[in-house]
Amino acid sequence: MPTLRSVMSQVLRLPVDAIDDDASMRTLPQWDSLKHMDLIVSLEEAYGLTLDGDEIAAMTSYGAIAAVLRRKGVTP
Amino acid sequence: MTTPPPTVAPAVPPPLEGRRALVTGGAQGLGRAIVDRLTAAGAALAVLDRDTAGLEAVRADHPAVVTVPVDLTDADAADAAVGTAFDALDGLDILVNNAGLIRNAPLVDLLRRTTRAERLALWDTVIATNLTAVHAVTMSVAERMARRRLKGVIVSIGSICARGNPGQSAYAAAKAGIEALTATWARELGPLGIRAVCVAPGFADTPSTHAALTGARVAEVAGEVPLRRLGTADEVALAVQQAIENGYINGTVLRVDGGLVM
C-alpha cells in the first residue's frame, strides 16, 4: 500500500520530501481545487475507501488527510 | 573624378498608413501592445476601454489616439462609443476585439469554497465580457462599415483555451465562440469585402496571465511549451498586424502559441 506522501507527490508532481507534515493547500501552490479532485480519486483508489463530502472539504492539508485516513483504519 | 551623390532609397510609407483601427481593451496588457504596434505601423487609432487611467497613459504616449472610456458589456454604451470613434476617425477599416477577462471556476467544487450560484454568476460575467460584448461591438462596427461601403477586417483575440482547459468552462466556451463567430462573419461579411480573423494566443507574458495563474503554474506552463517560454505581448500584436495586412487571410484562426497543444 503506498504511503500518503507518495500518493500526494505523484498527484501534485512534487518530490516526496516536499510533502512535509505542514504541507497544505496554502503552502503548495500546485495543490489547487482541480488537483484536489485528482487527489481524492487517487486516495480512494489507493486505499480502497470512499470519502464523503464533509471529509473531502476538510482534507486541505497533509495532517487533515492523515487524520481522516486513520479514522478509516488506514495508516498514512 | 567626382564622387556620385549617395543614393537615397525612396521612403516607404508605414504599412498601415491611412488605415483606421478600433481596438477594444487597449489600455493595458496585450491590448496596449496591439495599440503600440498598430500606431507604429501608421494606423490611426481609437481605443475603447473602461480603464480610464490606462487610457490616459495611451494618450500620453500616443496623443493622436482617440480614447473612449466605456463598459462594453453595456450594449447601448458600446454602440455609442463605437459611434464616437467612427466619427472621430471618419470611418473604420479595422476592428480588433481584444477586450476580455480571465476568470477560473471549477465545474465541481468539492472543497465547497464557492456556491453553485457564485459559479453561475461568474459564467455570466465571463460570457458577457468575452463573447456577448464582442458580438455587440462587431455588430455596431460592421453595420457602420457596410453602410459606408468600407472594406476591412475584424480581428478577434481568441485563446488556446478554446480547445478546453480545466477550471475554465466559461473562458474556454467564450473563446471557442469567438472562433465560431470568426468563421461565421468571414462568410457573412466576405462579400462586402470585410474579412474576419481570429488570433489565438497561447500563454503570453501579460499581467492577465500572471493574475490568473500562480507563479508555479506559469513556470509549469512555460516548461510545457516546446519553445520553453511564454510568448510576448508584441509577438501576439505582430500576428494581429499580419492578419490585418494580408488581405487573403479570412475565416481562420492564427495560432500564436509556441507550439503548445492543450
Side-chain angles (χ1 to χ4, degrees), chain B residues 226-262:
Chain B
L227 294 178
R228 297 288 183 266
R229 66 175 178 84
L230 302 184
T232 68
D234 188 58
E235 285 167 329
V236 180
L238 174 59
V240 171
Q241 183 180 343
Q242 290 163 334
I244 291 168
E245 289 188 31
N246 190 324
Y248 206 60
I249 296 179
N250 190 26
T252 194
V253 179
L254 185 53
R255 304 194 188 285
V256 191
D257 55 21
L260 179 64
V261 177
M262 297 194 58

PDB file of all heavy atoms in Angstrom, chain B residues 226-262:
ATOM      1  N   PRO B 226       6.848  23.849 -26.319  1.00  0.00           N
ATOM      2  CA  PRO B 226       8.046  23.351 -26.999  1.00  0.00           C
ATOM      3  C   PRO B 226       9.185  24.375 -27.055  1.00  0.00           C
ATOM      4  O   PRO B 226      10.350  23.997 -27.010  1.00  0.00           O
ATOM      5  CB  PRO B 226       7.533  23.010 -28.402  1.00  0.00           C
ATOM      6  CG  PRO B 226       6.103  22.635 -28.188  1.00  0.00           C
ATOM      7  CD  PRO B 226       5.622  23.541 -27.091  1.00  0.00           C
ATOM      8  N   LEU B 227       8.846  25.662 -27.111  1.00  0.00           N
ATOM      9  CA  LEU B 227       9.887  26.693 -27.146  1.00  0.00           C
ATOM     10  C   LEU B 227      10.384  27.052 -25.742  1.00  0.00           C
ATOM     11  O   LEU B 227      11.266  27.899 -25.583  1.00  0.00           O
ATOM     12  CB  LEU B 227       9.369  27.954 -27.844  1.00  0.00           C
ATOM     13  CG  LEU B 227       9.052  27.789 -29.331  1.00  0.00           C
ATOM     14  CD1 LEU B 227       8.487  29.090 -29.918  1.00  0.00           C
ATOM     15  CD2 LEU B 227      10.287  27.376 -30.114  1.00  0.00           C
ATOM     16  N   ARG B 228       9.783  26.425 -24.723  1.00  0.00           N
ATOM     17  CA  ARG B 228      10.214  26.581 -23.329  1.00  0.00           C
ATOM     18  C   ARG B 228      10.135  28.023 -22.818  1.00  0.00           C
ATOM     19  O   ARG B 228      10.953  28.461 -22.007  1.00  0.00           O
ATOM     20  CB  ARG B 228      11.652  26.060 -23.132  1.00  0.00           C
ATOM     21  CG  ARG B 228      11.788  24.574 -23.414  1.00  0.00           C
ATOM     22  CD  ARG B 228      11.133  23.728 -22.317  1.00  0.00           C
ATOM     23  NE  ARG B 228      11.328  22.310 -22.546  1.00  0.00           N
ATOM     24  CZ  ARG B 228      10.453  21.523 -23.197  1.00  0.00           C
ATOM     25  NH1 ARG B 228       9.313  22.035 -23.661  1.00  0.00           N
ATOM     26  NH2 ARG B 228      10.695  20.243 -23.342  1.00  0.00           N
ATOM     27  N   ARG B 229       9.167  28.768 -23.307  1.00  0.00           N
ATOM     28  CA  ARG B 229       8.955  30.117 -22.776  1.00  0.00           C
ATOM     29  C   ARG B 229       7.547  30.563 -23.107  1.00  0.00           C
ATOM     30  O   ARG B 229       6.902  29.998 -24.006  1.00  0.00           O
ATOM     31  CB  ARG B 229       9.957  31.111 -23.355  1.00  0.00           C
ATOM     32  CG  ARG B 229       9.802  31.351 -24.859  1.00  0.00           C
ATOM     33  CD  ARG B 229      10.740  32.445 -25.337  1.00  0.00           C
ATOM     34  NE  ARG B 229      10.652  32.660 -26.778  1.00  0.00           N
ATOM     35  CZ  ARG B 229       9.744  33.435 -27.372  1.00  0.00           C
ATOM     36  NH1 ARG B 229       8.834  34.075 -26.654  1.00  0.00           N
ATOM     37  NH2 ARG B 229       9.723  33.588 -28.680  1.00  0.00           N
ATOM     38  N   LEU B 230       7.066  31.562 -22.371  1.00  0.00           N
ATOM     39  CA  LEU B 230       5.799  32.186 -22.722  1.00  0.00           C
ATOM     40  C   LEU B 230       6.016  33.076 -23.938  1.00  0.00           C
ATOM     41  O   LEU B 230       7.139  33.495 -24.223  1.00  0.00           O
ATOM     42  CB  LEU B 230       5.283  33.034 -21.564  1.00  0.00           C
ATOM     43  CG  LEU B 230       5.059  32.347 -20.215  1.00  0.00           C
ATOM     44  CD1 LEU B 230       4.446  33.342 -19.227  1.00  0.00           C
ATOM     45  CD2 LEU B 230       4.169  31.125 -20.351  1.00  0.00           C
ATOM     46  N   GLY B 231       4.930  33.378 -24.633  1.00  0.00           N
ATOM     47  CA  GLY B 231       5.024  34.345 -25.722  1.00  0.00           C
ATOM     48  C   GLY B 231       5.083  35.746 -25.151  1.00  0.00           C
ATOM     49  O   GLY B 231       4.809  35.963 -23.965  1.00  0.00           O
ATOM     50  N   THR B 232       5.449  36.700 -25.987  1.00  0.00           N
ATOM     51  CA  THR B 232       5.396  38.094 -25.547  1.00  0.00           C
ATOM     52  C   THR B 232       4.143  38.742 -26.122  1.00  0.00           C
ATOM     53  O   THR B 232       3.591  38.281 -27.128  1.00  0.00           O
ATOM     54  CB  THR B 232       6.630  38.886 -26.033  1.00  0.00           C
ATOM     55  OG1 THR B 232       6.562  39.006 -27.462  1.00  0.00           O
ATOM     56  CG2 THR B 232       7.929  38.200 -25.630  1.00  0.00           C
ATOM     57  N   ALA B 233       3.731  39.807 -25.476  1.00  0.00           N
ATOM     58  CA  ALA B 233       2.551  40.529 -25.969  1.00  0.00           C
ATOM     59  C   ALA B 233       2.791  41.034 -27.386  1.00  0.00           C
ATOM     60  O   ALA B 233       1.893  41.015 -28.228  1.00  0.00           O
ATOM     61  CB  ALA B 233       2.225  41.684 -25.027  1.00  0.00           C
ATOM     62  N   ASP B 234       4.019  41.468 -27.670  1.00  0.00           N
ATOM     63  CA  ASP B 234       4.284  42.011 -29.009  1.00  0.00           C
ATOM     64  C   ASP B 234       4.262  40.921 -30.080  1.00  0.00           C
ATOM     65  O   ASP B 234       3.936  41.210 -31.239  1.00  0.00           O
ATOM     66  CB  ASP B 234       5.620  42.753 -29.047  1.00  0.00           C
ATOM     67  CG  ASP B 234       5.816  43.476 -30.372  1.00  0.00           C
ATOM     68  OD1 ASP B 234       4.951  44.320 -30.701  1.00  0.00           O
ATOM     69  OD2 ASP B 234       6.786  43.182 -31.089  1.00  0.00           O
ATOM     70  N   GLU B 235       4.593  39.694 -29.708  1.00  0.00           N
ATOM     71  CA  GLU B 235       4.508  38.614 -30.702  1.00  0.00           C
ATOM     72  C   GLU B 235       3.048  38.367 -31.094  1.00  0.00           C
ATOM     73  O   GLU B 235       2.755  38.056 -32.249  1.00  0.00           O
ATOM     74  CB  GLU B 235       5.158  37.338 -30.155  1.00  0.00           C
ATOM     75  CG  GLU B 235       6.674  37.426 -30.164  1.00  0.00           C
ATOM     76  CD  GLU B 235       7.356  36.333 -29.364  1.00  0.00           C
ATOM     77  OE1 GLU B 235       6.780  35.852 -28.353  1.00  0.00           O
ATOM     78  OE2 GLU B 235       8.481  35.969 -29.715  1.00  0.00           O
ATOM     79  N   VAL B 236       2.151  38.523 -30.137  1.00  0.00           N
ATOM     80  CA  VAL B 236       0.720  38.397 -30.457  1.00  0.00           C
ATOM     81  C   VAL B 236       0.267  39.601 -31.278  1.00  0.00           C
ATOM     82  O   VAL B 236      -0.464  39.475 -32.265  1.00  0.00           O
ATOM     83  CB  VAL B 236      -0.116  38.265 -29.168  1.00  0.00           C
ATOM     84  CG1 VAL B 236      -1.594  38.131 -29.514  1.00  0.00           C
ATOM     85  CG2 VAL B 236       0.348  37.074 -28.344  1.00  0.00           C
ATOM     86  N   ALA B 237       0.733  40.783 -30.883  1.00  0.00           N
ATOM     87  CA  ALA B 237       0.376  42.003 -31.625  1.00  0.00           C
ATOM     88  C   ALA B 237       0.880  41.929 -33.061  1.00  0.00           C
ATOM     89  O   ALA B 237       0.206  42.387 -33.989  1.00  0.00           O
ATOM     90  CB  ALA B 237       0.957  43.229 -30.916  1.00  0.00           C
ATOM     91  N   LEU B 238       2.047  41.338 -33.250  1.00  0.00           N
ATOM     92  CA  LEU B 238       2.586  41.181 -34.612  1.00  0.00           C
ATOM     93  C   LEU B 238       1.660  40.300 -35.450  1.00  0.00           C
ATOM     94  O   LEU B 238       1.412  40.574 -36.629  1.00  0.00           O
ATOM     95  CB  LEU B 238       3.991  40.564 -34.550  1.00  0.00           C
ATOM     96  CG  LEU B 238       4.644  40.209 -35.893  1.00  0.00           C
ATOM     97  CD1 LEU B 238       4.777  41.447 -36.781  1.00  0.00           C
ATOM     98  CD2 LEU B 238       6.018  39.575 -35.666  1.00  0.00           C
ATOM     99  N   ALA B 239       1.123  39.251 -34.832  1.00  0.00           N
ATOM    100  CA  ALA B 239       0.177  38.382 -35.558  1.00  0.00           C
ATOM    101  C   ALA B 239      -1.078  39.159 -35.942  1.00  0.00           C
ATOM    102  O   ALA B 239      -1.638  38.951 -37.024  1.00  0.00           O
ATOM    103  CB  ALA B 239      -0.186  37.170 -34.703  1.00  0.00           C
ATOM    104  N   VAL B 240      -1.518  40.054 -35.064  1.00  0.00           N
ATOM    105  CA  VAL B 240      -2.677  40.892 -35.383  1.00  0.00           C
ATOM    106  C   VAL B 240      -2.363  41.766 -36.597  1.00  0.00           C
ATOM    107  O   VAL B 240      -3.166  41.876 -37.528  1.00  0.00           O
ATOM    108  CB  VAL B 240      -3.063  41.769 -34.167  1.00  0.00           C
ATOM    109  CG1 VAL B 240      -4.117  42.805 -34.559  1.00  0.00           C
ATOM    110  CG2 VAL B 240      -3.571  40.887 -33.026  1.00  0.00           C
ATOM    111  N   GLN B 241      -1.182  42.360 -36.596  1.00  0.00           N
ATOM    112  CA  GLN B 241      -0.789  43.208 -37.728  1.00  0.00           C
ATOM    113  C   GLN B 241      -0.719  42.385 -39.016  1.00  0.00           C
ATOM    114  O   GLN B 241      -1.168  42.839 -40.085  1.00  0.00           O
ATOM    115  CB  GLN B 241       0.563  43.873 -37.453  1.00  0.00           C
ATOM    116  CG  GLN B 241       0.979  44.824 -38.588  1.00  0.00           C
ATOM    117  CD  GLN B 241       2.322  45.502 -38.332  1.00  0.00           C
ATOM    118  OE1 GLN B 241       2.808  45.518 -37.202  1.00  0.00           O
ATOM    119  NE2 GLN B 241       2.909  46.051 -39.370  1.00  0.00           N
ATOM    120  N   GLN B 242      -0.181  41.181 -38.908  1.00  0.00           N
ATOM    121  CA  GLN B 242      -0.075  40.336 -40.104  1.00  0.00           C
ATOM    122  C   GLN B 242      -1.454  39.948 -40.623  1.00  0.00           C
ATOM    123  O   GLN B 242      -1.683  39.904 -41.832  1.00  0.00           O
ATOM    124  CB  GLN B 242       0.775  39.094 -39.780  1.00  0.00           C
ATOM    125  CG  GLN B 242       2.251  39.455 -39.582  1.00  0.00           C
ATOM    126  CD  GLN B 242       3.044  38.369 -38.884  1.00  0.00           C
ATOM    127  OE1 GLN B 242       2.495  37.571 -38.125  1.00  0.00           O
ATOM    128  NE2 GLN B 242       4.346  38.330 -39.135  1.00  0.00           N
ATOM    129  N   ALA B 243      -2.374  39.672 -39.705  1.00  0.00           N
ATOM    130  CA  ALA B 243      -3.743  39.340 -40.115  1.00  0.00           C
ATOM    131  C   ALA B 243      -4.401  40.529 -40.817  1.00  0.00           C
ATOM    132  O   ALA B 243      -5.192  40.364 -41.741  1.00  0.00           O
ATOM    133  CB  ALA B 243      -4.568  38.920 -38.900  1.00  0.00           C
ATOM    134  N   ILE B 244      -4.068  41.731 -40.370  1.00  0.00           N
ATOM    135  CA  ILE B 244      -4.620  42.944 -40.993  1.00  0.00           C
ATOM    136  C   ILE B 244      -4.021  43.143 -42.385  1.00  0.00           C
ATOM    137  O   ILE B 244      -4.730  43.442 -43.349  1.00  0.00           O
ATOM    138  CB  ILE B 244      -4.328  44.173 -40.108  1.00  0.00           C
ATOM    139  CG1 ILE B 244      -5.136  44.099 -38.808  1.00  0.00           C
ATOM    140  CG2 ILE B 244      -4.650  45.470 -40.860  1.00  0.00           C
ATOM    141  CD1 ILE B 244      -4.701  45.105 -37.748  1.00  0.00           C
ATOM    142  N   GLU B 245      -2.714  42.957 -42.481  1.00  0.00           N
ATOM    143  CA  GLU B 245      -2.027  43.293 -43.737  1.00  0.00           C
ATOM    144  C   GLU B 245      -2.292  42.291 -44.853  1.00  0.00           C
ATOM    145  O   GLU B 245      -2.308  42.663 -46.027  1.00  0.00           O
ATOM    146  CB  GLU B 245      -0.521  43.395 -43.489  1.00  0.00           C
ATOM    147  CG  GLU B 245      -0.135  44.628 -42.688  1.00  0.00           C
ATOM    148  CD  GLU B 245       1.375  44.810 -42.610  1.00  0.00           C
ATOM    149  OE1 GLU B 245       2.074  44.415 -43.552  1.00  0.00           O
ATOM    150  OE2 GLU B 245       1.840  45.319 -41.585  1.00  0.00           O
ATOM    151  N   ASN B 246      -2.474  41.031 -44.514  1.00  0.00           N
ATOM    152  CA  ASN B 246      -2.651  40.020 -45.552  1.00  0.00           C
ATOM    153  C   ASN B 246      -4.126  39.914 -45.921  1.00  0.00           C
ATOM    154  O   ASN B 246      -4.933  39.343 -45.183  1.00  0.00           O
ATOM    155  CB  ASN B 246      -2.124  38.665 -45.067  1.00  0.00           C
ATOM    156  CG  ASN B 246      -2.075  37.647 -46.196  1.00  0.00           C
ATOM    157  OD1 ASN B 246      -2.947  37.630 -47.070  1.00  0.00           O
ATOM    158  ND2 ASN B 246      -1.061  36.810 -46.187  1.00  0.00           N
ATOM    159  N   GLY B 247      -4.469  40.447 -47.066  1.00  0.00           N
ATOM    160  CA  GLY B 247      -5.870  40.551 -47.469  1.00  0.00           C
ATOM    161  C   GLY B 247      -6.532  39.247 -47.872  1.00  0.00           C
ATOM    162  O   GLY B 247      -7.717  39.244 -48.235  1.00  0.00           O
ATOM    163  N   TYR B 248      -5.781  38.150 -47.813  1.00  0.00           N
ATOM    164  CA  TYR B 248      -6.409  36.885 -48.199  1.00  0.00           C
ATOM    165  C   TYR B 248      -6.541  35.919 -47.010  1.00  0.00           C
ATOM    166  O   TYR B 248      -6.942  34.784 -47.168  1.00  0.00           O
ATOM    167  CB  TYR B 248      -5.616  36.223 -49.343  1.00  0.00           C
ATOM    168  CG  TYR B 248      -6.488  35.313 -50.198  1.00  0.00           C
ATOM    169  CD1 TYR B 248      -7.600  35.817 -50.881  1.00  0.00           C
ATOM    170  CD2 TYR B 248      -6.215  33.956 -50.309  1.00  0.00           C
ATOM    171  CE1 TYR B 248      -8.401  34.991 -51.645  1.00  0.00           C
ATOM    172  CE2 TYR B 248      -7.012  33.122 -51.080  1.00  0.00           C
ATOM    173  CZ  TYR B 248      -8.101  33.648 -51.756  1.00  0.00           C
ATOM    174  OH  TYR B 248      -8.909  32.830 -52.512  1.00  0.00           O
ATOM    175  N   ILE B 249      -6.194  36.380 -45.827  1.00  0.00           N
ATOM    176  CA  ILE B 249      -6.441  35.571 -44.624  1.00  0.00           C
ATOM    177  C   ILE B 249      -7.857  35.880 -44.172  1.00  0.00           C
ATOM    178  O   ILE B 249      -8.191  37.021 -43.877  1.00  0.00           O
ATOM    179  CB  ILE B 249      -5.439  35.904 -43.500  1.00  0.00           C
ATOM    180  CG1 ILE B 249      -4.013  35.535 -43.927  1.00  0.00           C
ATOM    181  CG2 ILE B 249      -5.802  35.145 -42.225  1.00  0.00           C
ATOM    182  CD1 ILE B 249      -2.968  35.855 -42.870  1.00  0.00           C
ATOM    183  N   ASN B 250      -8.695  34.870 -44.120  1.00  0.00           N
ATOM    184  CA  ASN B 250     -10.109  35.111 -43.809  1.00  0.00           C
ATOM    185  C   ASN B 250     -10.739  33.862 -43.193  1.00  0.00           C
ATOM    186  O   ASN B 250     -10.514  32.741 -43.670  1.00  0.00           O
ATOM    187  CB  ASN B 250     -10.859  35.476 -45.106  1.00  0.00           C
ATOM    188  CG  ASN B 250     -12.260  35.983 -44.844  1.00  0.00           C
ATOM    189  OD1 ASN B 250     -12.550  36.515 -43.777  1.00  0.00           O
ATOM    190  ND2 ASN B 250     -13.142  35.811 -45.812  1.00  0.00           N
ATOM    191  N   GLY B 251     -11.487  34.064 -42.129  1.00  0.00           N
ATOM    192  CA  GLY B 251     -12.271  32.973 -41.544  1.00  0.00           C
ATOM    193  C   GLY B 251     -11.443  31.904 -40.860  1.00  0.00           C
ATOM    194  O   GLY B 251     -11.904  30.781 -40.675  1.00  0.00           O
ATOM    195  N   THR B 252     -10.239  32.273 -40.466  1.00  0.00           N
ATOM    196  CA  THR B 252      -9.363  31.254 -39.900  1.00  0.00           C
ATOM    197  C   THR B 252      -8.818  31.680 -38.536  1.00  0.00           C
ATOM    198  O   THR B 252      -8.991  32.815 -38.111  1.00  0.00           O
ATOM    199  CB  THR B 252      -8.202  30.953 -40.877  1.00  0.00           C
ATOM    200  OG1 THR B 252      -7.560  29.748 -40.476  1.00  0.00           O
ATOM    201  CG2 THR B 252      -7.193  32.085 -40.901  1.00  0.00           C
ATOM    202  N   VAL B 253      -8.176  30.740 -37.882  1.00  0.00           N
ATOM    203  CA  VAL B 253      -7.580  31.003 -36.577  1.00  0.00           C
ATOM    204  C   VAL B 253      -6.065  30.989 -36.733  1.00  0.00           C
ATOM    205  O   VAL B 253      -5.488  29.992 -37.173  1.00  0.00           O
ATOM    206  CB  VAL B 253      -7.996  29.943 -35.538  1.00  0.00           C
ATOM    207  CG1 VAL B 253      -7.346  30.234 -34.186  1.00  0.00           C
ATOM    208  CG2 VAL B 253      -9.510  29.893 -35.406  1.00  0.00           C
ATOM    209  N   LEU B 254      -5.448  32.110 -36.408  1.00  0.00           N
ATOM    210  CA  LEU B 254      -3.994  32.219 -36.458  1.00  0.00           C
ATOM    211  C   LEU B 254      -3.481  31.966 -35.047  1.00  0.00           C
ATOM    212  O   LEU B 254      -3.670  32.790 -34.152  1.00  0.00           O
ATOM    213  CB  LEU B 254      -3.629  33.620 -36.956  1.00  0.00           C
ATOM    214  CG  LEU B 254      -2.164  33.964 -37.219  1.00  0.00           C
ATOM    215  CD1 LEU B 254      -1.516  32.958 -38.157  1.00  0.00           C
ATOM    216  CD2 LEU B 254      -2.086  35.361 -37.828  1.00  0.00           C
ATOM    217  N   ARG B 255      -2.849  30.818 -34.856  1.00  0.00           N
ATOM    218  CA  ARG B 255      -2.418  30.444 -33.504  1.00  0.00           C
ATOM    219  C   ARG B 255      -1.017  30.976 -33.224  1.00  0.00           C
ATOM    220  O   ARG B 255      -0.122  30.851 -34.047  1.00  0.00           O
ATOM    221  CB  ARG B 255      -2.455  28.925 -33.346  1.00  0.00           C
ATOM    222  CG  ARG B 255      -3.816  28.329 -33.666  1.00  0.00           C
ATOM    223  CD  ARG B 255      -3.957  26.894 -33.208  1.00  0.00           C
ATOM    224  NE  ARG B 255      -5.197  26.328 -33.705  1.00  0.00           N
ATOM    225  CZ  ARG B 255      -6.414  26.595 -33.224  1.00  0.00           C
ATOM    226  NH1 ARG B 255      -6.544  27.424 -32.203  1.00  0.00           N
ATOM    227  NH2 ARG B 255      -7.490  26.049 -33.750  1.00  0.00           N
ATOM    228  N   VAL B 256      -0.865  31.577 -32.051  1.00  0.00           N
ATOM    229  CA  VAL B 256       0.431  32.142 -31.647  1.00  0.00           C
ATOM    230  C   VAL B 256       0.748  31.545 -30.282  1.00  0.00           C
ATOM    231  O   VAL B 256       0.625  32.197 -29.253  1.00  0.00           O
ATOM    232  CB  VAL B 256       0.367  33.684 -31.555  1.00  0.00           C
ATOM    233  CG1 VAL B 256       1.770  34.271 -31.400  1.00  0.00           C
ATOM    234  CG2 VAL B 256      -0.307  34.275 -32.781  1.00  0.00           C
ATOM    235  N   ASP B 257       1.095  30.249 -30.291  1.00  0.00           N
ATOM    236  CA  ASP B 257       1.186  29.518 -29.033  1.00  0.00           C
ATOM    237  C   ASP B 257       2.510  28.802 -28.802  1.00  0.00           C
ATOM    238  O   ASP B 257       2.625  27.986 -27.877  1.00  0.00           O
ATOM    239  CB  ASP B 257       0.024  28.512 -28.940  1.00  0.00           C
ATOM    240  CG  ASP B 257      -0.037  27.582 -30.148  1.00  0.00           C
ATOM    241  OD1 ASP B 257       0.989  27.431 -30.828  1.00  0.00           O
ATOM    242  OD2 ASP B 257      -1.119  27.017 -30.410  1.00  0.00           O
ATOM    243  N   GLY B 258       3.500  29.084 -29.635  1.00  0.00           N
ATOM    244  CA  GLY B 258       4.804  28.453 -29.429  1.00  0.00           C
ATOM    245  C   GLY B 258       4.798  26.946 -29.657  1.00  0.00           C
ATOM    246  O   GLY B 258       5.738  26.259 -29.277  1.00  0.00           O
ATOM    247  N   GLY B 259       3.696  26.442 -30.231  1.00  0.00           N
ATOM    248  CA  GLY B 259       3.604  25.001 -30.478  1.00  0.00           C
ATOM    249  C   GLY B 259       2.958  24.229 -29.343  1.00  0.00           C
ATOM    250  O   GLY B 259       2.879  22.991 -29.385  1.00  0.00           O
ATOM    251  N   LEU B 260       2.479  24.937 -28.337  1.00  0.00           N
ATOM    252  CA  LEU B 260       1.836  24.262 -27.205  1.00  0.00           C
ATOM    253  C   LEU B 260       0.498  23.675 -27.636  1.00  0.00           C
ATOM    254  O   LEU B 260      -0.296  24.335 -28.295  1.00  0.00           O
ATOM    255  CB  LEU B 260       1.614  25.256 -26.058  1.00  0.00           C
ATOM    256  CG  LEU B 260       0.915  24.704 -24.807  1.00  0.00           C
ATOM    257  CD1 LEU B 260       1.771  23.633 -24.137  1.00  0.00           C
ATOM    258  CD2 LEU B 260       0.609  25.821 -23.819  1.00  0.00           C
ATOM    259  N   VAL B 261       0.263  22.421 -27.276  1.00  0.00           N
ATOM    260  CA  VAL B 261      -1.019  21.771 -27.520  1.00  0.00           C
ATOM    261  C   VAL B 261      -1.635  21.439 -26.178  1.00  0.00           C
ATOM    262  O   VAL B 261      -0.994  20.824 -25.331  1.00  0.00           O
ATOM    263  CB  VAL B 261      -0.849  20.481 -28.352  1.00  0.00           C
ATOM    264  CG1 VAL B 261      -2.185  19.786 -28.519  1.00  0.00           C
ATOM    265  CG2 VAL B 261      -0.243  20.807 -29.712  1.00  0.00           C
ATOM    266  N   MET B 262      -2.878  21.868 -25.995  1.00  0.00           N
ATOM    267  CA  MET B 262      -3.507  21.601 -24.688  1.00  0.00           C
ATOM    268  C   MET B 262      -4.307  20.315 -24.718  1.00  0.00           C
ATOM    269  O   MET B 262      -4.759  19.874 -25.736  1.00  0.00           O
ATOM    270  CB  MET B 262      -4.388  22.778 -24.308  1.00  0.00           C
ATOM    271  CG  MET B 262      -3.561  24.023 -24.140  1.00  0.00           C
ATOM    272  SD  MET B 262      -4.375  25.390 -23.336  1.00  0.00           S
ATOM    273  CE  MET B 262      -4.835  24.716 -21.776  1.00  0.00           C
TER     274      MET B 262
END
